[in-house]
Structures are given as C-alpha cells and as structure tokens.
Amino acid sequence: MDAFSSSFVSTLGLATPIHSFTITTPKAFRALPLLSSPYSPILKVSSSVGIDEKAQTPTPAPTPTPSSSQRPSSSKRSPTPTLSSSSKRSPTTSTATPPPGKRSPANQRQEVVSSAPSLIFNALDDIINNFIDPPLRPSVDPRSVLSNNFAPVLEELPPTECEVIQGSLPPCLDGAYIRNGPNPQFLPRGPYHLFDGDGMLHSIRISQGKATLCSRYVKTYKYTIESEAGSPLLPNVFSGFNGLTASAARGALSAARILAGQYNPANGIGLANTSLAFFGNRLYALGESDLPYSVRLTSNGDIHTLGRHDFDGQLFMSMTAHPKVDPETGEAFAFRYGPVPPFLTYFRFDAKGAKQADVPIFSMLRPSFLHDFAITNKYAIFADIQIGMNPMEMIVGGGSPVGSDPSKVPRLGVIPRYAKDESEMRWFDVPGFNIIHAINAWDEEDGNEIVMVAPNILSVEHTLERMDLIHALVEKVRIDLRTGIVTRQPISARNLDFAVINQAYVGKKNKFVYAAVGDPMPKISGVVKLDVSKGEREECTVACRMYGPRCYGGEPFFVAREPGNPEAEEDDGYVVSFVHDEKAGESKFLVMDAKSPNLDIVAAVKLPRRVPYGFHGLFVRESDLKNL
C-alpha cells in the first residue's frame, strides 16, 4: 500500500542550505510523553532499550578486525546509491559495525547540525502534528500503536551470540532466518500507523548448532538522510494524509523541504520494511513504496545494505513486496501498482535476475490495493478487491485516501504468466472475496481449472483502522476457465493469516499450509497446520501449537529438512518463528517439527534482546549466503 506515496512528491533540484548551528540532544529519554508537549524537539532515540523495556547486556560475537569494507559509522554518510545489475557488491555503502570496544555514535550524546530552514520546517511540522492533525484515533496514536512489543528497539544490535536453551538446532538450518518489519528510528509525536516505521532486519544466523542474532536497519535513502538530519523529513505514508487539510499541509511542507535541498525524491522516498526475497543470487529487502534494496550477510552474521537496486534502469518507482519465485526455473514474477493508469503492471525476472518487459494491465479500471498475488505453472492471478483509493473520504470525511468501497464487486484476474500484453487477461467476479495475502495457486491436471488458496478478509472495512476486528477465513477458490464459474470452499473457521507453504511447491499443487493464529490481529498467539486437500466437510486443521499466555509470535516459515530431494515428503521439515513473552519481556527463536501433531518444539534459542513484532521473513541457506 506504500506505493501510493510515490505520487505525493515530485523530483526537484537541490538547493544550498542557508545557515547552521548546533543542537545537542540527550542520550536517552522517555519519548512518548513528549507527544503531549507542542513544539518539543524531534529527537533521535539512542537508548539500547525500547519503551518500558529493561536494559540488557548482550555478549557480542567475535568481530573481525575492520577492513576497508567495514568502516565505523560517521556523522556524515553518503546517500545510499542506486545499484545496477553490473554494480560491484561492496558493503561500503552501508554503515558498518564500530570496532570492538568502541561505542557507536548512537550510544553517545549526539550533535545534530540544524540549518535555519530545518528549524522552521520542524516547527511547522510541530504545528501540523499538534493542531491541524493530532493523533486522535487509536490506529494512528503512537501510544496505542507502539505499545508492548510493538515498541521499537532503539538501536541496532551487532552480531551477538545466543543461547540454545532447549533441544538442539537441526543441521538443515545452517543459514539464516531473516525477518523484516517496521522499527521507526525516531519515536513519533504526530500520527503514526503500524505500517509506517523504517525497515529493520532481524537475522538469526545458524552454523553448526550455534546461533547469532543481528538487528540492522535497511539503509534506505529515506533512513540515511533523516539520520543525518537528526529528525524526520518525509511524512508518514499511512498516517500522514488523513483529511484534505492535513494532506495539503504535509504536501506543502514536503515541497518546501525539497526546494530547500533537504532531500531529493529522485533517490527514493519509500521504506523497505515489509519482506525479503532471494532471486538471481541476490537478497532484497522490500517495501511497496520504493525499489528493492540489496542486502547481504557477512560470515559473522552482520547485515549490510548494498544499495537501491533498479535492475539496470529497467525497474521504475516500486515493486510488490511479495514476488513469487518459481523453485524449478528460478524466475521471479512480480508487479507494481499505483494511483495513475496503468493501475497494475505485471513483469518478471529471469533466473539470472534480469528484468523482462513490463505488461501494463489497463483492464484494471481504478486503483486497487494489490499487496499480493499468486502464480501457477501457466498463469498469474491478481485480486481486484474492495480496498483502493477513496479521495472523497479524505475530502469529505477527513479520513485516509485509501479505504474500502462496499459497492465494488471483488474479482480475480488471470493472465498467462509469460504474456507479452494483456490481450489474454480474463476477469472473474468473486463477490465478498477480499484477500491481502495469497498462500498458493496451481493448475489442475485437466488444464481447465485453477485453484487458489488465500485468507479472505471478512471485515475489509477494518483493514487499516481496526486490525483487531479483522477476521481472515482461509478459502480454496476454484476457477473453471471453460465456464467462468467460480466456486469456494472454506478451509478453516479460525482467524488465520501470514500463511506459508514449503517453498518447493510455489505454483504447483500442495497439501500443507502453516498459518498464524490472530488473537486478534496483528498479534499472533500460535500456528496451525492445515491440510487443504481435505474435502468440504472434513476437518482441515491437522496440527496446532499455541504459544501460551501473553506469548505472541510472528509469521511462521517452513524450512525443508532435505531441500532438493524429490522423494522427500512435503511436510518433512521445520516451522520457525520469533516468539515474545510479554510477561517476562524475553524473545525466543522457536524451531518446531512440522510433521508432529502438536508441532513439537525441537529447539528454542533465547535471544539477547527482544525482537519486536514484524511482518514477513525468509530462510536463506548457507550455500546461497556464500553467493551474495
């Protein structure tokens, strides 16, 4: 949904700042009470703990002597460059870990050099946040949104050894589980939505039964320039444009910052806080408001942002955070969407990661929220749902420009996955079917039917404002390509989302799904295993694990025990996830046996500090990490 932000600002030239002097900010503070104080300065957080979090002293893993590719952080950093496919993969574009024994600038008193325009713009931002558009609704009130383990961790964590407190880590987990999610580098005083934070990657690298945790921001252009400025420069996408007056005020302030040379939107204005993807021997951090950012993991488990990647100038503005990688061909299929025609553009990448030609879809008649899609061996499937651009709600009702339209009939669009144009695109009306995430899809053997499995959002009007009221019902949808008839079968009555499968079955018929249990969303109280091959009147839940009182996890991820073995059973592997105990204030990494009826825990790793709740993750095997 971040993609709508790309239309809010335009590319303008840089100007020279006028005058500067120094403001010194304290090391740490209780940030949220500042929200009640108009004109309180925007401060960069430099505490090692989150809101209401006890300090912990992690034990850093041994760090190699810094080389030319690992330099200490400095107060002046170059904006993250755009990488083309032919660029050298050097970690020097990101801020490296400070040498052992030295404290990073984030742990010290930080001096922020502010120009006169910066002070004026920040004062105007205060006026907007406190008087024009204060955070009155719970969905954009930081006190509500950033409570408990949704609160950010306020500094990065270098590679730090973890303790295996139960069982042992299976050898097939050698590699890294990396999870993305929002973690604002500045605690907000104005409106803030859960989707608005800077992307932070939490990686647990596993080697020979030992685990190392590392948490690093994705060094997007937005993150870098705001870090250098010492305050936010760009308005929040999901919470910054509620109502015509607030939208006009923040839009004008953004234009003024551009004219003053505070940032150049041509370098990207978006986040990379949603998910990750691995294809073409590259690892990407993804968000829908910008291009992918290439990242890599070092041998000691550290994370480096290599840069914004435009695929030799072939990728424009943005891309879905949920590309689909064909496990047999290595190709990746993706799309972008936005507020101006074509509202949907489909494209793919070959096995080497080279982007192929765009296929604009003009039969998408108005903007729709297309967060995810599905592929089969023959087709790509898109969902035109009831969430989209709703400018009248913003103008008349003072709400968000993105909202639901109950009069719209949802539909599914099917296009050959190697289509050159949209001439073979077919749309099928599916009333009441609103999906945010797709689980999988496949072609039936007769070639005349497509099956899609996805959670259907039954209360779509609450998607942005009241996520706790959302109920997602997993359904199996059949599309008869001969007759155009669409039939639907509920799979489970539970509130399930963030579902995954064995990645070897992407685009082909699978049996098992591992889904997160909403309690309510966005909190996840457990994981269930579904058998989607069962009949309409059969119980499809075949395994379940609840995390316990006040324990909540994230999206599960399935890791096969014998990847590449065609004889291996589909569910022969492990389900992994971060889990946080809100009562104890501790986070763990759990490894569960996917074949067991109770998803038995085979290993638990105590993490050196808490991992906030986030979005989507990925497991990358050691052999692939070495190729980055």
Side-chain angles (χ1 to χ4, degrees):
M1 193 179 297
D2 299 357
F4 293 127
S5 67
S6 61
S7 64
F8 293 147
V9 293
S10 59
T11 303
L12 296 172
L14 296 174
T16 303
I18 300 173
H19 175 69
S20 65
F21 54 93
T22 301
I23 297 176
T24 302
T25 63
K27 174 192 171 191
F29 59 95
R30 290 281 180 180
L32 287 184
L34 293 176
L35 287 159
S36 61
S37 175
Y39 310 112
S40 55
I42 300 177
L43 303 176
K44 181 169 182 179
V45 176
S46 53
S47 168
S48 62
V49 297
I51 303 165
D52 297 328
E53 179 185 10
K54 295 180 180 179
Q56 302 178 38
T57 307
T59 303
T63 306
T65 303
S67 64
S68 59
S69 65
Q70 286 184 303
R71 52 186 173 83
S73 302
S74 64
S75 59
K76 292 293 182 181
R77 284 174 286 175
S78 301
T80 306
T82 297
L83 294 183
S84 67
S85 298
S86 59
S87 300
K88 288 183 66 178
R89 302 178 187 177
S90 170
T92 57
T93 57
S94 67
T95 303
T97 307
K102 290 191 177 182
R103 300 181 59 165
S104 70
N107 290 329
Q108 302 169 356
R109 294 173 62 87
Q110 181 179 3
E111 292 189 346
V112 180
V113 179
S114 297
S115 65
S118 295
L119 294 176
I120 295 171
F121 295 149
N122 288 345
L124 291 173
D125 200 21
D126 284 337
I127 293 172
I128 296 171
N129 289 331
N130 286 282
F131 301 109
I132 297 177
D133 185 32
L136 301 179
R137 305 190 315 279
S139 63
V140 294
D141 184 350
R143 292 184 185 89
S144 175
V145 177
L146 297 179
S147 62
N148 294 315
N149 196 42
F150 290 103
V153 289
L154 303 182
E155 67 176 17
E156 297 180 318
L157 179 75
T160 305
E161 293 178 358
C162 306
E163 179 187 1
V164 180
I165 59 174
Q166 179 179 343
S168 59
L169 293 166
C172 68
L173 290 186
D174 274 16
Y177 172 70
I178 316 163
R179 205 222 57 211
N180 204 344
N183 193 83
Q185 66 168 315
F186 300 102
L187 292 182
R189 291 168 307 163
Y192 175 86
H193 192 276
L194 179 63
F195 301 162
D196 280 327
D198 299 281
M200 176 173 271
L201 304 180
H202 302 273
S203 169
I204 183 161
R205 182 147 190 175
I206 300 169
S207 178
Q208 298 179 346
K210 296 182 179 181
T212 300
L213 180 71
C214 179
S215 300
R216 295 287 189 194
Y217 281 104
V218 183
K219 304 306 190 303
T220 61
Y221 174 71
K222 176 185 182 296
Y223 172 88
T224 303
I225 59 172
E226 291 185 340
S227 179
E228 291 176 345
S231 64
L233 299 179
L234 281 72
N236 289 329
V237 172
F238 290 94
S239 59
F241 297 92
N242 293 311
L244 186 60
T245 303
S247 298
R250 290 196 174 96
L253 180 57
S254 296
R257 290 188 187 275
I258 295 170
L259 289 170
Q262 288 198 331
Y263 68 90
N264 181 359
N267 294 327
I269 60 171
L271 305 164
N273 69 358
T274 307
S275 66
L276 299 109
F278 180 86
F279 60 90
N281 282 332
R282 282 186 183 268
L283 178 63
Y284 299 101
L286 302 172
E288 293 173 8
S289 57
D290 211 331
L291 300 180
Y293 274 80
S294 179
V295 298
R296 79 173 180 92
L297 269 67
T298 64
S299 58
N300 73 327
D302 210 345
I303 306 169
H304 291 284
T305 302
L306 302 182
R308 190 170 179 251
H309 199 74
D310 65 2
F311 298 88
D312 287 329
Q314 298 301 305
L315 185 59
F316 305 102
M317 296 180 66
S318 63
M319 187 180 95
T320 176
H322 290 288
K324 305 301 178 188
V325 180
D326 188 303
E328 295 181 357
T329 68
E331 299 167 294
F333 298 82
F335 66 94
R336 66 174 176 270
Y337 67 102
V340 296
F343 302 118
L344 169 64
T345 301
Y346 169 58
F347 50 87
R348 64 184 176 91
F349 304 88
D350 66 21
K352 295 181 179 179
K355 183 181 176 296
Q356 306 303 296
D358 284 347
V359 180
I361 309 296
F362 290 100
S363 55
M364 175 74 73
L365 302 178
R366 53 176 169 162
S368 182
F369 177 28
L370 285 153
H371 181 66
D372 200 355
F373 78 129
I375 62 167
T376 72
N377 283 331
K378 296 180 180 179
Y379 300 100
I381 308 166
F382 296 92
D384 184 8
I385 65 175
Q386 289 177 311
I387 302 177
M389 293 292 287
N390 192 356
M392 290 307 296
E393 174 63 23
M394 181 184 73
I395 296 171
V396 178
S400 169
V402 179
S404 62
D405 179 2
S407 66
K408 180 179 178 181
V409 177
R411 55 184 187 158
L412 292 176
V414 178
I415 188 171
R417 77 177 198 171
Y418 295 110
K420 303 294 185 183
D421 55 50
E422 69 162 326
S423 59
E424 295 183 72
M425 185 82 171
R426 295 179 62 187
W427 291 97
F428 303 86
D429 288 349
V430 191
F433 190 64
N434 291 286
I435 69 169
I436 304 297
H437 295 116
I439 299 174
N440 197 27
W442 62 83
D443 307 305
E444 288 289 37
E445 292 181 1
D446 61 5
N448 296 314
E449 252 189 353
I450 295 173
V451 177
M452 182 180 188
V453 180
N456 179 23
I457 307 298
L458 300 183
S459 44
V460 69
E461 68 275 12
H462 299 308
T463 302
L464 292 180
E465 286 295 318
R466 292 292 305 276
M467 282 183 280
D468 57 310
L469 298 179
I470 288 176
H471 190 95
L473 176 70
V474 176
E475 295 188 26
K476 183 159 61 174
V477 179
R478 291 183 178 273
I479 304 173
D480 191 316
L481 299 176
R482 295 168 299 181
T483 65
I485 295 175
V486 178
T487 57
R488 295 157 61 182
Q489 173 192 340
I491 297 297
S492 173
R494 300 183 81 157
N495 185 17
L496 304 177
D497 203 341
F498 291 92
V500 298
I501 64 170
N502 183 331
Q503 295 297 293
Y505 288 79
V506 170
K508 59 184 181 181
K509 190 170 186 176
N510 74 293
K511 183 176 182 179
F512 297 113
V513 168
Y514 307 90
V517 180
D519 188 37
M521 290 294 182
K523 284 194 171 183
I524 294 169
S525 59
V527 58
V528 299
K529 176 184 178 182
L530 304 175
D531 182 347
V532 298
S533 70
K534 289 184 175 291
E536 191 167 344
R537 298 184 182 276
E538 295 181 271
E539 174 58 53
C540 296
T541 300
V542 294
C544 176
R545 169 158 292 277
M546 304 304 290
Y547 297 132
R550 295 189 62 186
C551 292
Y552 303 97
E555 176 191 60
F557 195 85
F558 178 86
V559 183
R561 188 171 64 87
E562 295 182 276
N565 178 7
E567 303 300 322
E569 295 181 270
E570 182 186 336
D571 61 345
D572 186 9
Y574 302 94
V575 178
V576 302
S577 182
F578 290 129
V579 175
H580 182 73
D581 185 333
E582 291 188 351
K583 185 177 181 179
E586 295 179 347
S587 295
K588 298 177 183 177
F589 174 71
L590 294 187
V591 180
M592 295 164 272
D593 180 0
K595 289 181 71 68
S596 63
N598 298 311
L599 299 177
D600 298 331
I601 296 175
V602 299
V605 179
K606 182 180 179 180
L607 303 182
R609 75 169 184 188
R610 70 180 180 89
V611 173
Y613 305 131
F615 296 146
H616 305 285
L618 183 70
F619 182 81
V620 185
R621 299 188 180 277
E622 185 64 29
S623 57
D624 291 325
L625 291 175
K626 290 179 179 178
N627 292 329
L628 292 176

